[in-house]
């Protein structure tokens, strides 16, 4: 598994090598420090802990900072553990950079979605709502709550409520560019969360089996040769 | 979760600026231009020229588009081009026009002589 922790910078559009104009999300992932490698022998399972973004001097508690200073590493703000190891044998104290990914590859991106507060059914569940005109007095209301025969509201029925700030995964986004010089990943399409939010980029769990109709960046690069 | 702003605040500006063309000539709506664009036809790539009046320049920076209008076989044809796209090879100005607005949508309603644009005489 390939993983990296980064920061969502924002969105823009980019021309690909074959001249397509594609929307991309820019993710900045300064080299992640490998903080800990867990193995079955020592911990009962395999995993790698990565750390991202330098912490302020007083940004961490002593025990948190201790994990770094013990290994003579610069303290980082965010630590995430990934089950299964990163390809190759990562060493504690080593780094993971954006060059683990190449253009054309598919990735899953995890983020915390934007908060919408207490949202109604239309925004939260894509209800249609009533007509604005023609006399009814139901516009954005959720409508029926279910049958009266059963005497209770069915569990899991979609109602207004808190929306957003959920851990959200977008699967199979294509890497458009991996810029090692500036530690940038350009991922096609949107990514969950607001700007400056933490995102986790991993190799796709379920990559598409068949090439899509539209030529991917990789296919186009091949065709050019 | 908020990770914090960094010195790379304008990364997006940078990325966009890198892709801008430096050789786009100065032209305005009302001018007549030749746009050379690459098109893929039957698996082959070739350059096609489209000449007409610029009726609008829209958007900024990397997303800037121009819409060019011409009469082709008696039918008005408008084509939009992404000005900074690598598929648009070259833009040449062939005539300067005198117009009083930035969006010449009214041209679509005019036929024949009424659809002409006064030419600006440029000292050669």
């Amino acid at each position: 598994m390939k993983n990296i922790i980064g920061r969502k910078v924002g969105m823009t559009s980019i021309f690909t090598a074959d001249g397509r104009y594609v929307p991309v999300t820019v993710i900045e992932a300064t080299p992640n420090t490998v903080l800990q490698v867990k193995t079955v022998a020592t911990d009962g399972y395999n995993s790698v802990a990565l750390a991202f973004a330098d912490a302020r001097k007083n940004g961490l508690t002593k025990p948190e900072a201790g994990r770094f200073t013990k290994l003579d590493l610069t303290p980082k703000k965010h630590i995430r553990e990934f089950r299964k190891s990163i390809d190759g044998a990562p060493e504690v104290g080593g780094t993971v950079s954006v060059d683990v990914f190449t253009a054309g590859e598919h990735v899953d991106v995890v983020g915390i979605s934007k908060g919408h507060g207490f949202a109604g059914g239309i925004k939260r569940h894509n209800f249609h709502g009533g007509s604005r005109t023609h006399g009814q007095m139901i516009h954005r209301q959720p409508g029926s709550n279910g049958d009266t025969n059963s005497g209770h509201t069915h569990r899991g029925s979609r109602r207004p409520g808190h929306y957003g700030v959920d851990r959200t995964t977008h699967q199979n986004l294509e890497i458009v560019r991996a810029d090692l010089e500036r530690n940038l990943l350009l991922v096609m399409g949107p990514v969950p969360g607001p700007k400056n939010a933490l995102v986790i980029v991993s190799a796709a769990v379920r990559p598409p089996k068949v090439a899509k109709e539209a030529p991917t960046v990789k296919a186009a690069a091949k065709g050019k040769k | 979760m908020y990770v914090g702003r960094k010195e790379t605040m304008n990364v997006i500006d940078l990325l966009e600026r890198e892709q801008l063309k430096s050789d786009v000539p100065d032209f305005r709506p009302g001018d007549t231009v030749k746009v050379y664009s690459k098109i893929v036809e039957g698996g082959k790539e070739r350059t096609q020229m489209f000449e007409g009046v610029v009726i609008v320049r829209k958007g900024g920076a990397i997303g800037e588009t121009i819409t060019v209008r011409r009469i082709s076989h008696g039918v008005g044809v408008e084509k939009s081009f992404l000005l900074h796209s690598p598929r648009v090879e070259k833009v040449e100005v062939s005539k300067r026009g005198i117009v009083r607005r930035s969006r010449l949508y009214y041209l679509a309603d005019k036929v024949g002589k009424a659809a002409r644009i006064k030419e600006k005489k440029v000292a050669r």
Side-chain angles (χ1 to χ4, degrees), chain A residues 11 14 23 28 34 38 70-71 85 95 98 106 113 118 122 125 129 147 160-162 170 174 181 200 203 207 221:
Chain A
M11 289 193 73
I14 285 280
E28 186 199 23
V34 179
K38 293 185 177 176
K70 213 161 62 178
L71 299 166
S85 56
T95 55
V98 292
H106 286 88
S113 60
F118 192 101
I122 292 179
H125 301 297
D147 63 312
H162 184 264
H170 271 209
E174 189 180 326
E181 221 164 275
I200 295 167

Side-chain angles (χ1 to χ4, degrees), chain A residues 12 15 18 77 182 196, chain B residues 1 3 8 16 18-19 87:
Chain A
T12 179
F15 291 107
D18 54 325
K77 249 189 285 191
R182 286 178 292 194
N196 293 317
Chain B
M1 192 189 305
V3 186
T8 48
E16 286 179 1
E18 278 167 19
Q19 308 219 339
R87 278 190 188 154

Side-chain angles (χ1 to χ4, degrees), chain A residues 11-16 20-22 24 177, chain B residues 12-21 58-65 81-86:
Chain A
M11 289 193 73
T12 179
S13 296
I14 285 280
F15 291 107
T16 60
R20 281 183 309 144
Y21 188 51
V22 294
V24 294
R177 192 189 294 171
Chain B
I12 287 180
D13 272 357
L14 275 174
L15 282 171
E16 286 179 1
R17 226 171 286 164
E18 278 167 19
Q19 308 219 339
L20 295 183
K21 289 179 190 167
K58 251 187 199 170
I62 192 177
E64 182 168 6
T65 63
F81 298 95
L82 266 167
L83 198 52
H84 292 280
S85 165

Side-chain angles (χ1 to χ4, degrees), chain A residues 13-221:
Chain A
S13 296
I14 285 280
F15 291 107
T16 60
D18 54 325
R20 281 183 309 144
Y21 188 51
V22 294
V24 294
T25 304
V26 182
I27 295 170
E28 186 199 23
T30 46
N32 290 183
T33 310
V34 179
L35 183 59
Q36 194 178 3
V37 178
K38 293 185 177 176
T39 59
V40 178
T42 54
D43 300 273
Y45 64 98
N46 290 327
S47 81
V48 175
L50 297 181
F52 167 68
D54 288 345
R56 278 179 296 119
K57 199 177 147 212
N58 298 323
L60 298 177
T61 63
K62 265 192 178 176
E64 280 166 351
R67 289 186 75 181
F68 294 92
T69 47
K70 213 161 62 178
L71 299 166
D72 273 339
L73 301 172
T74 24
K76 306 264 182 184
K77 249 189 285 191
H78 303 285
I79 303 169
R80 291 288 181 281
E81 202 179 304
F82 299 99
R83 289 299 276 263
K84 298 180 188 168
S85 56
I86 290 172
D87 290 338
E91 267 176 53
V92 174
T95 55
V96 176
S97 313
V98 292
D99 60 347
V100 293
F101 297 108
T102 50
E105 217 173 317
H106 286 88
V107 291
D108 296 343
V109 179
V110 178
I112 308 288
S113 60
K114 276 183 185 174
H116 296 257
F118 192 101
I122 292 179
K123 190 181 287 244
R124 193 172 183 226
H125 301 297
N126 302 324
F127 288 173
H128 292 297
S131 55
R132 295 195 148 186
T133 53
H134 294 306
Q136 300 88 330
M137 283 155 85
I138 290 174
H139 301 299
R140 294 182 68 95
Q141 291 177 19
S144 167
N145 293 338
D147 63 312
T148 52
N149 219 8
S150 58
H152 63 91
T153 303
H154 291 289
R155 212 162 263 230
S157 56
R158 298 172 300 166
R159 319 300 302 280
H162 184 264
Y163 177 44
V165 203
D166 290 317
R167 181 189 159 101
T168 309
T169 308
H170 271 209
Q171 292 190 317
N172 294 336
L173 303 176
E174 189 180 326
I175 299 265
V176 177
R177 192 189 294 171
D179 187 337
L180 185 61
E181 221 164 275
R182 286 178 292 194
N183 294 312
L184 299 179
L185 277 178
L186 305 195
V187 172
M188 199 185 289
V191 150
K195 286 176 194 170
N196 293 317
L198 193 78
V199 290
I200 295 167
V201 184
S202 314
V205 174
R206 214 177 285 166
K209 279 177 193 157
V210 205
K212 274 181 289 175
E213 294 248 325
T216 60
V217 174
K218 210 178 184 180

